[in-house]
Structures are given as C-alpha cells and as structure tokens.
Amino acid sequence: MPYYIEHIPLLVNLKNGFFSTNVWVYNVYTIISGLFYIYFIEQQTHIRWIKGFLRVLILLFICICGTQLVTTDGFFVEFHRLLYAYNILFVLIAVILLLYDYIMTDEIIPILDISISASIGIFVFHTLEIPLIVYRYIDSISGRAAFILYGLLSVACLFLYGLCIIGFILGLKRKVD
C-alpha cells in the first residue's frame, strides 16, 4: 500500500494516514495467526487438562493483545515486538502440549497427519522467528546478517506451508479411502 500511495496521485491524501505504512497489517496478522494456531492445536488435543489450558491460553492471549493495543498508541505506526514475542511463546507452548498429548495417547499416530505435520511446521517456523526478534532490537544489522535472517525465515515459511499442504493432501486421501 505505501508504494501505491507514493506513486498514484489520486491517493496522495492518504500519505500521512495509517495506510502509509504496512506495520498495522502485520500487527493484525500477528494477533490472528496466534489465535488461529492455538485454536487449531486446541481442537486437535485429546487430554482434557490440555484443552482447558489451551482455552485459558487463548483468553490470556486475547487479554494481552487488547491491553497492548489500548495502552500503546503506536498500533498503526510501529511493530509491536512484545505482542510478537507473546505470539511466538504461546504458540510454542501450544505445539509442545499437542506433541505431549500425542505421546500420552495409546493410539498409533500417523506421522504425516495434518495435525502432526502442521504442528511440526508451526514449531520450526516460530522457533526460527526468534532470531528475527532478537536482531530487530539491534538497529545496525549488516546487509549479510539481514540476508541470512530473512533467508532463514523464507526457508521456515516454505517448510511450514509445505508440511501443511502435505498433511492436508494425505489427510484428505485418508478421509476419501
């Protein structure tokens, strides 16, 4: 959107508005993706206390997001690092609890089931995002370090979505059979 505001004369009035940067979109994405992942994992679990804990985690995440958005006035201007860190922390806790749930069940677990493959992809993706948070606090990152970090994030995205696609395809094939 900032590119279009800068180069299309009709949109020049939006130059100083909240559409001038894309930061607010990523803040909204952080909230929605965190809630989606935790809810998806909560739906896959079988142990009651884990389901209850994940529901509390969802409510806690909503409260933290609401508090962050109300108490800080930079939602449309700056990237909320603390909100991003909570997103990563809560999703990693949820994935670890899902994997614990699968370990504790007596059933044979299909390795490429959608919940297993997606949770492994989510775990790897969020684990590889941690260096990005650490290095975003450092203002002077060399071009080579930024290239490596964003390359790492691209590989993590491909891994996450690749595992999700494989899980969906194999889950659909198993459902049809």
Side-chain angles (χ1 to χ4, degrees):
M1 192 72 178
Y3 174 80
Y4 295 118
I5 290 173
E6 189 72 32
H7 291 88
I8 297 177
L10 183 64
L11 300 175
V12 82
N13 293 333
L14 297 174
K15 194 169 193 173
N16 294 326
F18 65 91
F19 286 116
S20 62
T21 63
N22 288 336
V23 175
W24 65 274
V25 174
Y26 201 72
N27 288 333
V28 171
Y29 166 75
T30 301
I31 295 168
I32 291 173
S33 70
L35 289 173
F36 172 76
Y37 287 141
I38 297 170
Y39 178 75
F40 172 76
I41 291 169
E42 186 266 334
Q43 292 296 310
Q44 303 301 318
T45 58
H46 301 93
I47 300 175
R48 288 184 86 134
W49 72 267
I50 293 177
K51 276 189 173 290
F53 184 79
L54 289 176
R55 288 179 184 148
V56 169
L57 205 64
I58 289 171
L59 292 174
L60 184 63
F61 188 66
I62 290 171
C63 291
I64 288 173
C65 291
T67 304
Q68 277 287 315
L69 297 179
V70 170
T71 59
T72 59
D73 52 338
F75 178 75
F76 295 109
V77 180
E78 65 183 7
F79 176 70
H80 284 272
R81 292 180 181 114
L82 190 60
L83 188 66
Y84 192 61
Y86 279 123
N87 178 17
I88 290 174
L89 177 69
F90 286 3
V91 169
L92 288 178
I93 290 170
V95 169
I96 290 169
L97 287 174
L98 176 67
L99 295 175
Y100 175 78
D101 179 60
Y102 276 119
I103 289 171
M104 298 308 289
T105 59
D106 292 334
E107 301 171 10
I108 297 175
I109 304 164
I111 295 296
L112 290 177
D113 186 41
I114 179 61
S115 59
I116 295 293
S117 61
S119 65
I120 292 171
I122 292 167
F123 184 80
V124 170
F125 178 74
H126 281 80
T127 304
L128 290 177
E129 277 185 320
I130 293 171
L132 291 176
I133 289 179
V134 171
Y135 283 110
R136 283 188 185 179
Y137 282 110
I138 301 171
D139 291 332
S140 60
I141 298 176
S142 68
R144 177 180 248 173
F147 179 75
I148 291 171
L149 285 175
Y150 289 111
L152 192 66
L153 185 62
S154 298
V155 169
C157 283
L158 289 173
F159 186 74
L160 168 66
Y161 296 122
L163 281 179
C164 287
I165 290 169
I166 289 170
F168 279 125
I169 290 171
L170 293 177
L172 181 65
K173 184 178 178 185
R174 205 172 284 126
K175 200 177 236 186
V176 169
D177 292 341

